[in-house]
Amino acid sequence: MFVQTYTPIAPIGWSVLLSILPLFILCLLLVMGWLKPALTYGFALLLTAGLAGTVWKMPVSMITSTVFYGILFALFPLFYMIWSSIFLFRVADKCGYINRIKNTLKTAEEGIEWKVLLVGFGLTAFIDSTAGFLAPVAIVTALLVQLGVEPRKSALATLSSSAIPAVFGAVGVPVILLSKVTEQPLEETIRQVAFFDIIPALAAPLITCLATCGFQSTRKFFKRIFIGGCSYAAATLLSVLFISPYLGAIVGAAVYIVVIFLLGIKNGIFTEKLSPKIWLKSWWPFVLLTVFVSIWNIPSIQSVLGMAGKGWPIPFLDRMIMTEAPFGHDVISVSWKNNFLASPGTAIILASLFTALTSGMGLLNWIRMLFSSLRSVGMVAFNLSMISSVGFLMVYSGIAGTLAYPFGHLAAGYMVVAPLMGWLGTFLTGSNAASIALFGGMQAYAAKITGLPAVGIAACFAVAAVGGKMIAPQALEVAVKSSGMDSSSESKLLRKLIVFSLLVPCLSTVVIVMWKLFGTE
C-alpha cells in the first residue's frame, strides 16, 4: 500500500515549489514555443514521473501503471470521442454539407451585427461543440472575412465565441475528464457543470457582440442578443439534463441559430427565403448526429450495449493508494472499462456512415476516409495521452495534494481562487481539457482541505477555465492566420479581449458564491 505524503520536503514551501515545477515548465514551453507541443508534453511527463518517484517516493511500478492508465483513458473514451466528432465533420465537409451550411448563413444584408450574432457566435458554438479544439476559430474567422466583415472583427468574433461552449465542447470530453481526475460521479459532475454554466451561457452572445461590435451596436441589438442568449442557455441546460450531456452544446447552438434566424426573418434582413427542406438538407449530418446520440443515451439501450464492455482494475494502482491527513484516509479505486459499443463515439461514427450512404459517398470511400482520418489525428492522441498521464500522476502520487495544501487556511475564500486557476490553466495551455487534466485533481484535494463540496468547486473551476481560451496564444495565432492579419496583430487582439476573458471567471465566482449562500448543493 502506497500512502501519499504531502510534505515530502520540509518546510512545506519547498514541497509546494517542487509540485509547481512541472506545471511551470510545461506552461513556459507552450507559451514561448521553444519546443513542439508533443515534445513539451513528453518532457513534462518525464519530469513529473521523476519527481513522483524521487521526491514523493511513488514506486516505479505504480508510476509505470499510472502512465499506462493515462494512455488508456486518453485513447478511450477521450480520443475516441474527439476523433469520431472530427471524422463526422470531415465526412460532412467532403459531402458538401459545410458549404451548404455556409450558404444558408450568407444571406444577411450589409451590417455586421447580424453576421456576428448568426455566424460569429452561432456557427462557432456549433462547430466547437462537435469538432472542438481550434477548428471553429479557423473555419468561421475565414468565413466572416468572406462575408465582408473586416479581419480584425472576424477574429474578435470567433475568439470570444469559442470560449463558453467549450465546457461541453468536443461532445462533452472536458466534463468526462473532469469527473475522472476529481474522482467525482459523472452524472453529478454533469449536473453541477450545467448549473454553473447557466449565467456564462446566457451572457455568451452579449460578450461576443460587445467585444466585436462595441457598446452602441450591442445596445441597439440588446433585445435580440438577450433572446438569443436565453435560448442558448436554456436549450443547453435542458439538453444536458434531459437528453444527453454529449449533445448539450450542440443542441444549444442549433436552437440559438434557429432563433436568431427567425428573428432575422422577422426583421427582414435576408435577401432570399430558405425553406425548412433546404435547411434540413444543409444540416443533415448534424441532424443524424443528434438522433443517433439521443438514441444511444436511452437507458435501456445503454444497459444492453454496456453488457459488451468489461471493467479492468489497473494493476499496481487499484486499491493500492491511500490518501493521508488532512485529506482523509481513503483508498483509491482505479479501473478502466472498454465499453466501446455504449460510447457516444460509436453513435457519432454511425451518423457519419449514414451521412456517407445518403450523400453518394459510398461505403468504400467512407472506409478509406476513416483510416486516413485516424492517421491525420495521431498527434492529437499522443498529446492527449501525455497530458492525461501527467494529470493522473499528479493525483495518484500526491503532488496534487501538495499543491492544494497551502489553500487550507483560505476556507470559503478558495471559491475565488478556483475559477482563476482554471482560467490561467487554459490561457497557458490553450485547451480547457489540458487545464482540467493538470489542475482538476487539485480541486478535489482543495475542496477537502477547505471544507467545500468537491463537485461544486470542480464544476466552477471547469466553467471558468473556458475564459482563458479567448486569449490563449495558440488560438490567437490561428485567428490571425485565418483572417489574413499580420502576426503583430496577436497582441492587439489580446489587449482587446483580456477583459472579456476575465469576465468568465468573474461570472463563475458570482455563481459559486450564490450557490454557497443559498445552499443549492
Side-chain angles (χ1 to χ4, degrees):
M1 179 71 69
F2 169 63
V3 180
Q4 293 180 347
T5 179
Y6 311 111
T7 55
I9 298 177
I12 181 63
W14 289 108
S15 297
V16 173
L17 283 175
L18 282 175
S19 67
I20 293 172
L21 186 61
L23 303 179
F24 174 76
I25 291 179
L26 171 64
C27 295
L28 178 66
L29 292 175
L30 286 173
V31 172
M32 300 305 295
W34 292 334
L35 294 176
K36 292 182 178 180
L39 293 176
T40 299
Y41 289 132
F43 179 73
L45 176 57
L46 290 174
L47 180 58
T48 307
L51 288 172
T54 58
V55 179
W56 277 265
K57 306 300 182 184
M58 189 180 196
V60 174
S61 59
M62 287 189 169
I63 294 174
T64 305
S65 192
T66 301
V67 174
F68 173 70
Y69 175 59
I71 294 171
L72 271 182
F73 186 78
L75 295 178
F76 182 86
L78 299 186
F79 175 72
Y80 183 58
M81 292 177 63
I82 292 170
W83 164 71
S84 61
S85 301
I86 293 173
F87 178 60
L88 172 67
F89 190 84
R90 289 183 177 179
V91 170
D93 191 20
K94 187 73 173 178
C95 293
Y97 287 104
I98 302 304
N99 282 329
R100 292 183 192 177
I101 289 172
K102 291 178 180 178
N103 289 333
T104 64
L105 302 173
K106 274 187 176 182
T107 54
E109 63 182 13
E110 290 186 7
I112 71 166
E113 290 86 358
W114 282 104
K115 295 172 186 177
V116 168
L117 281 174
L118 185 59
V119 182
F121 181 79
L123 192 57
T124 299
F126 190 86
I127 296 176
D128 194 270
S129 61
T130 53
F133 292 94
L134 296 175
V137 176
I139 294 169
V140 182
T141 301
L143 175 58
L144 282 172
V145 172
Q146 293 173 16
L147 292 175
V149 179
E150 64 176 277
R152 178 175 171 271
K153 290 189 175 181
S154 297
L156 288 172
T158 53
L159 287 169
S160 57
S161 298
S162 65
I164 305 300
V167 69
F168 285 106
V171 205
V173 163
V175 182
I176 297 171
L177 181 59
L178 178 70
S179 170
K180 199 64 180 178
V181 297
T182 57
E183 299 290 331
Q184 300 300 313
L186 180 59
E187 288 187 3
E188 179 63 15
T189 301
I190 290 168
R191 188 179 72 83
Q192 289 287 3
V193 170
F195 170 75
F196 278 99
D197 192 46
I198 292 174
I199 292 181
L202 184 66
L206 178 64
I207 291 172
T208 296
C209 283
L210 281 172
T212 309
C213 305
F215 178 77
Q216 291 301 325
S217 292
T218 302
R219 183 181 177 183
K220 177 183 175 183
F221 275 75
F222 182 76
K223 183 178 179 181
R224 290 96 162 178
I225 295 168
F226 180 72
I227 294 172
C230 288
S231 66
Y232 175 71
T236 301
L237 177 66
L238 294 174
S239 176
V240 167
L241 296 181
F242 301 110
I243 302 177
S244 168
Y246 311 109
L247 288 174
I250 297 173
V251 172
V255 170
Y256 170 87
I257 289 172
V258 171
V259 168
I260 295 298
F261 187 79
L262 292 176
L263 288 173
I265 292 175
K266 183 180 178 181
N267 285 268
I269 68 151
F270 294 102
T271 56
E272 60 183 77
K273 294 182 179 180
L274 296 173
S275 67
K277 185 177 180 180
I278 292 175
W279 270 78
L280 180 62
K281 284 184 177 180
S282 301
W283 295 79
W284 178 239
F286 303 104
V287 171
L288 288 173
L289 167 67
T290 305
V291 170
F292 273 95
V293 174
S294 299
I295 292 172
W296 239 246
N297 204 55
I298 296 173
S300 58
I301 293 178
Q302 273 288 300
S303 62
V304 172
L305 295 174
M307 293 172 62
K310 183 179 179 182
W312 302 86
I314 303 299
F316 305 110
L317 282 184
D318 185 49
R319 305 196 63 79
M320 297 288 289
I321 302 173
M322 177 181 285
T323 60
E324 191 56 88
F327 303 109
H329 298 276
D330 300 322
V331 177
I332 299 175
S333 298
V334 186
S335 61
W336 179 79
K337 191 173 183 180
N338 60 340
N339 52 344
F340 287 93
L341 282 180
S343 170
T346 303
I348 297 169
I349 290 174
L350 285 176
S352 71
L353 175 60
F354 271 71
T355 298
L357 295 179
T358 56
S359 306
M361 175 182 278
L363 180 60
L364 288 178
N365 287 330
W366 180 82
I367 293 173
R368 291 192 193 100
M369 197 169 180
L370 186 76
F371 287 105
S372 66
S373 176
L374 269 175
R375 289 194 298 270
S376 66
V377 294
M379 197 54 67
V380 174
F382 178 82
N383 291 345
L384 200 57
S385 296
M386 295 299 100
I387 200 68
S388 295
S389 297
V390 170
F392 286 128
L393 264 178
M394 292 180 67
V395 172
Y396 297 146
S397 67
I399 294 176
T402 302
L403 274 171
Y405 206 96
F407 296 107
H409 68 281
L410 286 180
Y414 190 74
M415 293 188 296
V416 177
V417 175
L420 289 174
M421 190 172 294
W423 174 88
L424 181 64
T426 303
F427 164 62
L428 294 172
T429 63
S431 165
N432 64 314
S435 179
I436 288 169
L438 294 176
F439 294 103
M442 175 187 168
Q443 306 313 310
Y445 283 97
K448 286 183 180 180
I449 203 170
T450 57
L452 297 168
V455 69
I457 287 293
C460 177
F461 157 83
V463 171
V466 300
K469 193 174 180 181
M470 288 187 201
I471 55 173
Q474 300 92 322
L476 291 171
E477 181 182 3
V478 171
V480 165
K481 288 182 178 178
S482 300
S483 63
M485 293 187 291
D486 58 84
S487 57
S488 63
S489 302
E490 291 183 21
S491 59
K492 297 176 183 177
L493 292 174
L494 188 148
R495 287 195 296 270
K496 176 70 175 179
L497 288 171
I498 190 167
V499 173
F500 299 102
S501 176
L502 284 167
L503 186 59
V504 180
C506 289
L507 289 174
S508 299
T509 302
V510 170
V511 175
I512 195 172
V513 170
M514 291 172 58
W515 170 78
K516 184 64 178 175
L517 289 176
F518 297 104
T520 54
E521 70 231 51

